[in-house]
Amino acid sequence: QVQLVESGGGLVHAGDSLRLSCVASGRSFGSYDMGWFRQAPGKEREFVASIKYWSGNTYYADSVKGRFTISRNNAKKTTYLQMDSLKPEETAVYYCAADTNSNSAFDSWGQGTQVTVSS
């Protein structure tokens, strides 16, 4: 099992940048793939980005390619999401998640951090 805690959210203006952090804790080795998701009011949760543990390969939703960057520091068991050129429609609660069972399905989730982008 792993516990995830997000931080770094806040209120910014359109075009600004923000970096989110997700710290993992627990007994696991931490050798799992990580991802970021978001959920806007009245909408379903959507995939934003992910990063593989072994290869470091990253994947992004089309809507954020070129603007968001996911990275990780395995020694610190921390995953980051650098968000540049934020848009108002990206206002949402951002969640990090872990594929702890190595089955290509995210099964552990944090409680989320609010990101609000004003116009």
Side-chain angles (χ1 to χ4, degrees):
Q1 292 185 314
V2 61
Q3 292 76 49
L4 306 174
V5 179
E6 304 95 335
S7 63
L11 174 63
V12 298
H13 289 95
D16 285 351
S17 297
L18 207 58
R19 189 174 81 155
L20 307 182
S21 298
C22 174
V23 180
S25 63
R27 299 192 304 274
S28 73
F29 289 108
S31 57
Y32 34 73
D33 301 341
M34 296 293 299
W36 284 96
F37 295 75
R38 65 190 179 191
Q39 185 170 22
K43 298 182 179 180
E44 295 186 349
R45 186 175 299 179
E46 66 174 340
F47 169 78
V48 176
S50 64
I51 184 168
K52 295 287 187 179
Y53 178 84
W54 295 109
S55 68
N57 289 347
T58 58
Y59 305 87
Y60 299 93
D62 289 341
S63 61
V64 306
K65 287 181 179 178
R67 296 187 298 114
F68 288 15
T69 303
I70 187 171
S71 62
R72 66 192 299 169
N73 184 321
N74 292 334
K76 295 182 178 180
K77 294 187 176 182
T78 302
T79 305
Y80 306 94
L81 183 67
Q82 176 67 42
M83 305 183 292
D84 297 329
S85 302
L86 282 162
K87 304 175 181 179
E89 58 265 36
E90 293 176 315
T91 291
V93 176
Y94 283 69
Y95 301 88
C96 68
D99 177 13
T100 62
N101 293 322
S102 300
N103 63 347
S104 298
F106 294 101
D107 48 73
S108 295
W109 299 80
Q111 291 189 314
T113 184
Q114 177 71 46
V115 173
T116 302
V117 186
S118 64
S119 58

